[in-house]
Structures are given as C-alpha cells and as structure tokens.
Amino acid sequence: MAAIIATELVKEYPGGVRGVDSVDVEIADGEFFALLGPSGCGKTTLLRSIAGLESITSGKLTIGEKDVTNAEPGERGVAMVFQDYALFPHMDVGDNIAYPLRIRRVGKTERRTTAESVANGLSLNGLIERRPGQLSGGQQQRVALARAVATRPDVLLLDEPLSNLDARLRLEARTFLKELQRDLGVTTVFVTHDQAEALALADRIAVMKAGKLQQIGSPREIFHRPNNTFVAGFIGSVPMNLLDTVVSGGSVRIGETDVPVPAEAAAAVREGQTVSWGIRPEYLRWSTEPVEGAIAAEVVVTETLGATSLVLVSAGEHKLQVVVPEEQEPAPGDRGWISPQRNRALLFDAETTERIG
C-alpha cells in the first residue's frame, strides 16, 4: 500500500489545452478516493497520469516514498481496471486473471494457483475455465478486478468500472467494491461521473471541472458544505436549488417572502449584494396550510420517485424543487407553502460563485 501525492500536476496537450491544470492532492495510504466530475473535466486524465499512461507535462507525483513523475507504468506498483474491462476474448477466466503474472515471468503453476485463489475470493469459482463471452457483465467486471488484485498492487486505479452495468447490478457492484477495498486495504482511486457512486463509495471525493480541483472533502462535507455553485449543483441525486436574489435588510427575497440570510453568512454579506440562495430539495417542506416565514408557491410539475416525489413549484420569479413523501404529493396547479429547514440554506457570491461565510 502507498500514499499518492500530486504537486502542481499539469498535463498539457498540443495547442495549450490542459487536461489537468495545476492539481495538488494527497491521497492517504489505504484510502478509497473518488475523482468526480462531468465528462471532459480531466478526472480520467489525472487517473491515467497516476498510472503512467499519460506523460506529465510538469509538477511532481510520488507513490509511497518514490518519485514516479517520469517512471514507466510497470515501475509504479499500480493496477488499473478500465471502463470496458479489456479482457482477452480468446483466454479463459484463469488465464485472463493470471496474464499480468505471466508478463512478470511467474511460473505457470504458481500463476494458475494465484488465479484460482483470487477468483474464489471474488465469487468466480466454477467460472475459471469460461471465456469472457460466456460471462455476464457483472462477472466480467469481477474478472477485471481479479486480474488487477492478483498482482498485489500498492495502488488500485478504477476508471468508471461500473458504467457498463445495469442499474441493479451497479448497486450490487457498489457494495462488492466497498467490501473488497476494505478487505484489501489497498489505496484506491476511483473515477466516476455518477455522484451517487462517489457519495456511496468514497472516503473522500475530489470534484473537478475543466482540469481544476473545485473541492476535496468527505462525502458529507461535499454534500452539506459545497465550496461553490458548481459543486452545489453537481452533487446530490437532485441538484441544489440556486436562486439569484439580492441582500436587503439582513434578508433575501424568495418569491414574495423575505427569508433571513443564513447565520454563517450574516457578517460577510453587504447590503445590496447580488447572491445565489441555495438549499437542497430534501431540506424544504411542503404544506397546504400557511406557516410563519414560509414561501407561497404553486405546483408546476410532479415526478414520482417511489417512496418520495419530486415537486417543481413556482414562487414568483423563482422555481424550486421540493422532495415530499409520496402520501403528500400535490397535483399540478395546487397552491401551498414551502418552508426551508433551519440552518440548511447557503449563500453564494453571484460573481465569484464561492460560498459566503
């Protein structure tokens, strides 16, 4: 196992395009670390730079005590699982798992023994002689993981390994991955664009945009205390409500209601400042009766989510999303009131997009 430290890491392509732009990050020994962001944000480029599959333009990368900035991939002690699994179709499961050991010139008997041991540990027993084409997507994913684990790497790199699975398999694979990483104790870097996967799996998350880190923190920190409006809008199964408004008399106007400025931002805002008032749909409450300090609203659209419903409401010039229990789902056109949970709202500067306070 090994810690990973990237210092002012830059990957620049011809034409001056930076896939990774001055990234500083420290990943602890044995940590499950997620790189999260939309397509094109640089997360896979950063992962491939750690693996040695992309040359680093400038900066420094260390794995454990070793400077691997310019080291070959085979010298870094890393194993990588690709998005498409990259299994050899003409080899059976055992030979696929043992292939990296074959490259290292490990004896045939030892290779097969190791492959069978790792396969059994990943519930692939009985499939050792099958070829990839005879396996389900979930089984292929486990073979790819087994191949990586068989080399006993210091660092395990996962490039969206769950994206090819259907919804049910993805949920099962998430639990499996978490248990596997915990049992191995190996430093793991996981790339995904699915924030639900990152929140469920990671010890810490790095959110990226346009090659730059936007925020690093625990899932709870990223969810509750986003650094800026990009992180606030990207994280969460439903994006945070972000409404443009103006500070006036210690309040902001939402619809026809003056809502007090959050306590943490009160000392940092100025009169007349343009801000974004943010609150997650889960922290708004819908009521059919007037409530003190509530915002009058009219239902526009409802979406059934199962045990809850997502309701889009209109409050004057503003539109907000609210999560309500299924038995309280209103109908389009219904009028009512929405109440923010105390201390759950945030303020962001409209110009810098940074959180205030």
Side-chain angles (χ1 to χ4, degrees), residues 36-70:
L36 175 67
S39 297
C41 72
K43 57 189 183 297
T44 296
T45 302
L46 178 55
L47 190 79
R48 290 173 62 86
S49 297
I50 295 172
L53 302 177
E54 296 279 0
S55 59
I56 295 170
T57 305
S58 64
K60 182 180 179 181
L61 178 70
T62 61
I63 297 178
E65 302 294 324
K66 185 177 180 182
D67 183 345
V68 297
T69 307
N70 299 306

Side-chain angles (χ1 to χ4, degrees), residues 2-182:
I4 303 169
I5 302 175
T7 307
E8 295 184 1
L9 205 67
V10 173
K11 171 57 184 177
E12 186 171 296
Y13 294 101
V17 176
R18 289 193 170 191
V20 176
D21 193 355
S22 299
V23 164
D24 289 292
V25 63
E26 184 170 344
I27 302 169
D29 185 4
E31 186 174 23
F32 201 135
F33 191 87
L35 296 174
L36 175 67
S39 297
C41 72
K43 57 189 183 297
T44 296
T45 302
L46 178 55
L47 190 79
R48 290 173 62 86
S49 297
I50 295 172
L53 302 177
E54 296 279 0
S55 59
I56 295 170
T57 305
S58 64
K60 182 180 179 181
L61 178 70
T62 61
I63 297 178
E65 302 294 324
K66 185 177 180 182
D67 183 345
V68 297
T69 307
N70 299 306
E72 293 296 320
E75 300 171 350
R76 300 187 179 210
V78 304
M80 188 164 177
V81 177
F82 296 91
Q83 183 176 353
D84 62 358
Y85 309 143
L87 301 177
F88 295 106
H90 64 287
M91 293 183 182
D92 64 20
V93 167
D95 286 340
N96 264 287
I97 295 172
Y99 186 76
L101 302 176
R102 176 181 170 188
I103 297 299
R104 297 183 181 184
R105 301 184 184 280
V106 175
K108 185 175 182 179
T109 301
E110 184 180 346
R111 291 201 310 263
R112 199 69 181 184
T113 300
T114 301
E116 290 177 356
S117 174
V118 173
N120 289 340
L122 296 180
S123 301
L124 291 169
N125 43 311
L127 305 176
I128 200 79
E129 295 182 356
R130 292 191 187 182
R131 295 191 177 185
Q134 299 172 302
L135 304 177
S136 68
Q139 290 167 339
Q140 289 184 38
Q141 179 229 24
R142 279 181 282 161
V143 173
L145 282 167
R147 182 177 58 190
V149 170
T151 63
R152 294 183 175 85
D154 296 323
V155 173
L156 183 60
L157 305 177
L158 307 174
D159 185 11
E160 302 199 43
L162 310 184
S163 61
N164 291 335
L165 303 180
D166 61 40
R168 183 177 180 83
L169 267 179
R170 195 177 297 123
L171 289 174
E172 293 176 359
R174 274 180 8 197
T175 302
F176 165 75
L177 263 182
K178 188 78 170 179
E179 291 177 348
L180 175 65
Q181 195 275 339
R182 183 189 61 200

Side-chain angles (χ1 to χ4, degrees), residues 250-333:
S251 299
V252 292
R253 195 156 185 81
I254 306 298
E256 300 300 321
T257 303
D258 290 326
V259 178
V261 165
E264 69 164 24
V269 294
R270 62 184 185 276
E271 186 73 9
Q273 182 178 356
T274 303
V275 296
S276 290
W277 181 81
I279 191 165
R280 296 202 175 278
E282 295 88 347
Y283 299 141
L284 291 171
R285 293 291 177 264
W286 171 260
S287 174
T288 56
E289 300 294 333
V291 179
E292 183 180 354
I295 303 163
E298 180 179 345
V299 177
V300 180
V301 175
T302 63
E303 298 178 27
T304 300
L305 304 178
T308 59
S309 297
L310 181 64
V311 181
L312 176 66
V313 302
S314 175
E317 64 179 5
H318 296 126
K319 283 187 167 60
L320 302 92
Q321 291 184 306
V322 187
V323 173
V324 303
E326 59 179 329
E327 64 273 9
Q328 295 179 14
E329 180 182 313

Side-chain angles (χ1 to χ4, degrees), residues 215 224-229 232 240 242-247 251-252 261-278 343-357:
Q215 184 172 356
H224 291 291
R225 314 293 298 167
N227 278 354
N228 54 43
T229 55
M240 179 181 285
L242 294 168
L243 309 178
D244 292 336
T245 184
V246 176
V247 176
S251 299
V252 292
V261 165
E264 69 164 24
V269 294
R270 62 184 185 276
E271 186 73 9
Q273 182 178 356
T274 303
V275 296
S276 290
W277 181 81
N343 300 326
R344 290 297 193 179
L346 301 172
L347 276 193
F348 300 87
D349 187 283
E351 292 184 8
T352 66
T353 75
E354 300 294 314
R355 192 181 76 243
I356 300 172

